[in-house]
């Protein structure tokens, strides 16, 4: 019985430690920031990013709908800054099951010049998150993330209150 409890506890701790995922942010001027994110409850999550001056920015992301996400993203970063392809949610009206089983794709700008790729791509059934990050030294950022439900990986973009843009990979 003690072995079963020990194994269960060990597996639980292992699973909890695997729930924190890395993310990286790049600006046009070559600045690179590192961070972490994890899921929380009720379809939300938490994000921590360390700024180049050591400032820690933190916030909570929430899931939003595709249309409102795309509209807000383009309003923040400009028309054509993201392309989201896939069937509209109401296109099949439940005839073929959930719309999320159909493959979606999204493309966005990559500000990491060192990568040699100016575009980021994610596909699968997609999820859309928005977040507001606040720093311990007063910096704030508005962030948008889009990811694949298949892989959990994706991309995003953040804009600081000072107007600096960052592309995000997670």
């Amino acid at each position: 019985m003690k072995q079963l409890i020990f194994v269960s506890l060990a597996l639980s701790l292992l699973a909890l430690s695997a729930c924190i995922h890395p993310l990286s942010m790049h600006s046009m001027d070559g600045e690179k920031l590192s961070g972490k994110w994890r899921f929380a409850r009720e379809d939300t999550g938490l994000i921590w990013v360390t700024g180049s001056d050591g400032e820690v920015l933190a916030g909570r992301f929430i899931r939003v709908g595709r249309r409102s996400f795309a509209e807000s993203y383009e309003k923040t970063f400009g028309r054509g800054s993201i392309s989201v392809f896939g069937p509209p949610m109401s296109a099949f009206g439940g005839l073929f099951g959930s719309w999320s089983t159909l493959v979606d794709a999204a493309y966005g700008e990559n500000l990491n010049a060192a990568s040699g790729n100016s575009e980021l791509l994610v596909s699968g059934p997609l999820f859309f998150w928005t977040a507001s990050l606040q720093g311990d030294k007063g910096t704030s950022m508005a962030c948008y993330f889009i990811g694949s439900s298949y892989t959990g990986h994706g991309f995003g973009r953040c804009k600081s209150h000072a107007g600096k843009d960052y592309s995000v990979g997670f």
Side-chain angles (χ1 to χ4, degrees):
M1 182 66 169
K2 287 183 181 181
Q3 285 180 332
L4 179 62
I5 293 172
F6 176 76
V7 170
S8 297
L9 180 60
L11 289 175
S12 296
L13 291 174
L14 181 62
L16 286 175
S17 68
C19 293
I20 296 176
H21 308 282
L23 66 84
S24 61
M25 299 172 70
H26 298 272
S27 69
M28 286 289 271
D29 65 7
E31 182 181 16
K32 180 182 178 187
L33 307 179
S34 296
K36 304 177 273 193
W37 67 274
R38 73 172 179 88
F39 287 110
R41 62 181 158 197
E42 297 177 8
D43 217 11
T44 66
L46 303 172
I47 298 171
W48 302 269
V49 176
T50 303
S52 56
D53 63 351
E55 181 176 17
V56 176
L57 293 99
R60 181 176 74 107
F61 62 79
I62 59 170
R63 186 173 227 152
V64 295
R66 177 203 315 240
R67 179 174 289 148
S68 65
F69 175 89
E71 288 171 358
S72 294
Y73 193 104
E74 285 194 332
K75 183 177 180 182
T76 302
F77 301 107
R79 189 157 174 82
S81 57
I82 188 169
S83 297
V84 180
F85 300 98
M89 291 191 289
S90 61
F92 297 98
L95 181 63
F96 299 108
S98 170
W99 71 271
S100 64
T101 61
L102 302 171
V103 177
D104 292 333
Y107 299 88
E109 294 176 275
N110 184 5
L111 302 180
N112 180 9
S115 74
N117 189 1
S118 63
E119 226 175 40
L120 298 166
L121 165 69
V122 66
S123 63
L126 301 177
F127 54 83
F128 304 91
W129 297 328
T130 60
S132 178
L133 305 182
Q134 299 295 318
D136 55 1
K137 296 178 183 175
T139 302
S140 63
M141 287 189 188
C143 297
Y144 301 83
F145 306 101
I146 184 169
S148 170
S149 295
Y150 288 146
T151 66
H153 296 289
F155 69 86
R157 198 144 167 202
C158 295
K159 182 173 271 208
S160 74
H161 71 283
K164 190 169 185 177
D165 285 352
Y166 296 87
S167 61
V168 181
F170 62 93

